[in-house]
Amino acid sequence: MKKIIFLLAASISIISCNSTKNVIVEKSKSEIKETVMLTFFIDSLIVKKHLYTLASDEMEGRKSGTPGIEKAAKYIENEFKRIGLTTFDGLETYRQTFNFTPRRGKEEITSANIIGVLEGKSKKDEYVIISAHYDHLGNEGKGEDKIYNGANDDASGVTGVLALAEYFKKVGNERTIVFAAFTAEEMGLIGSTYFGKGIDASKFVAGINLEMIGKIPSFGPNTAWLTGFERSDFGKIVQKNLEGSGYQLFPDPYKNFNLFFRSDNASLARLGVPSHTFSTTAIDTDPDYHKVSDEAETLNMTIITQTIQAVAKGTETIINGKDTPTRVVLKE
């Protein structure tokens, strides 16, 4: 990165944009324009703290209905409180607690979505949801290591939700942002489906879901892919906002996997919300997917941090009410 010398001179004007952290230096005499993106406006140390905490053995694999996921829920609640989020739609706490019986289970489970809110300014009655699931597969693995830590799937996504909540708390938002850590995704999108049943979907203008953002995708460094890219113009808006940033967004390359309907974005998409999932993992070749080897040490903190930044910048005009994605097209 080139060094920039800030001079108080009439021939140099400096424009700083807090929301994207771009610095543009214009030298009027030579008509030279130089753009530099400051690396890391998301704190990588906080990112690492969130990830290693949520994916630790102490969380026991975060299976819904277990003491392990209760520890994760308390951690997320405490972070929402520290950041200064409010509760959602009449809830007394950050928890949206409910009971359900898993498809392959006989006993009823009590679990909770953890939801926090940043009220918007000029468009507070229009909502954008930023989500990830905080549950995983528990501690019933075979062999010496029995804990499915779920670092990439999906402690990395929850880390993104927490980091983005802190970021937007600082920079502001015109539309109201709902930050949701969903439970029981691994059991069939149960938490997000329950959430969807209680909302007015017409008020939700976009869904930003984060899933497995800790590894280099098949497109190479500084890239991510988006599920259901062709189902709305959400992805094109993000691509436009990322121009010049050095980061690129691509359509989901794994069409045969039907990934658009396999993560929590689908629960809102089925209600018409342009809700999509960001991911960076080459899921077709990933050796740790749904394995006990999905641990924090296998992930790249730089990739996670840069992806969170790219999501912040890519969705900026949606958060601030300048762009409204088209409603999603549902042809499964």
Side-chain angles (χ1 to χ4, degrees), residues 6-36:
F6 293 87
L7 299 175
L8 295 176
S11 61
I12 300 179
S13 63
I14 300 177
I15 304 170
S16 177
C17 176
N18 288 332
S19 61
T20 61
K21 301 299 183 184
N22 285 344
V23 178
I24 301 175
V25 178
E26 182 177 341
K27 300 178 181 180
S28 58
K29 290 184 179 180
S30 60
E31 296 183 349
I32 296 175
K33 295 183 179 180
E34 182 177 13
T35 302
V36 177

Side-chain angles (χ1 to χ4, degrees), residues 110-261:
T110 299
S111 196
N113 296 322
I114 313 300
I115 309 169
V117 177
L118 274 180
E119 185 174 86
K121 297 176 182 177
S122 63
K123 297 187 176 184
K124 66 179 181 179
D125 293 327
E126 297 178 8
Y127 296 82
V128 175
I129 183 169
I130 299 178
S131 64
H133 70 92
Y134 74 108
D135 68 298
H136 198 52
L137 303 178
N139 59 356
E140 300 173 1
K142 298 179 181 180
E144 184 175 345
D145 183 0
K146 297 183 180 300
I147 299 175
Y148 291 92
N149 299 82
N152 200 25
D153 183 16
D154 190 25
S156 66
V158 178
T159 293
V161 170
L162 294 174
L164 289 168
E166 190 155 12
Y167 171 73
F168 284 115
K169 176 66 174 179
K170 292 178 181 177
V171 304
N173 49 293
E174 297 303 316
R175 284 175 165 142
T176 293
I177 311 176
V178 177
F179 297 92
F182 290 126
T183 187
E185 187 266 3
E186 300 287 4
M187 296 180 177
L189 315 185
I190 291 172
S192 56
T193 299
Y194 182 85
F195 173 83
K197 290 178 179 178
I199 64 171
D200 180 353
S202 67
K203 293 183 177 181
F204 282 76
V205 300
I208 300 164
N209 192 54
L210 308 177
E211 178 93 57
M212 299 176 66
I213 59 170
K215 297 183 177 182
I216 297 177
S218 57
F219 298 105
N222 300 315
T223 66
W225 46 270
L226 188 77
T227 63
F229 191 96
E230 71 288 351
R231 296 176 184 272
S232 79
D233 64 358
F234 176 97
K236 291 182 179 179
I237 292 171
V238 173
Q239 285 180 329
K240 183 178 179 180
N241 289 337
L242 288 176
E243 288 179 1
S245 71
Y247 201 100
Q248 292 179 283
L249 180 70
F250 292 90
D252 168 16
Y254 308 109
K255 300 299 182 183
N256 293 337
F257 286 35
N258 202 29
L259 296 176
F260 182 73
F261 293 101

Side-chain angles (χ1 to χ4, degrees), residues 275-296:
S275 182
H276 303 262
T277 294
F278 289 86
S279 184
T280 68
T281 300
I283 192 170
D284 58 334
T285 59
D286 182 42
D288 305 309
Y289 177 66
H290 278 200
K291 303 285 180 60
V292 295
S293 57
D294 182 10
E295 303 201 36

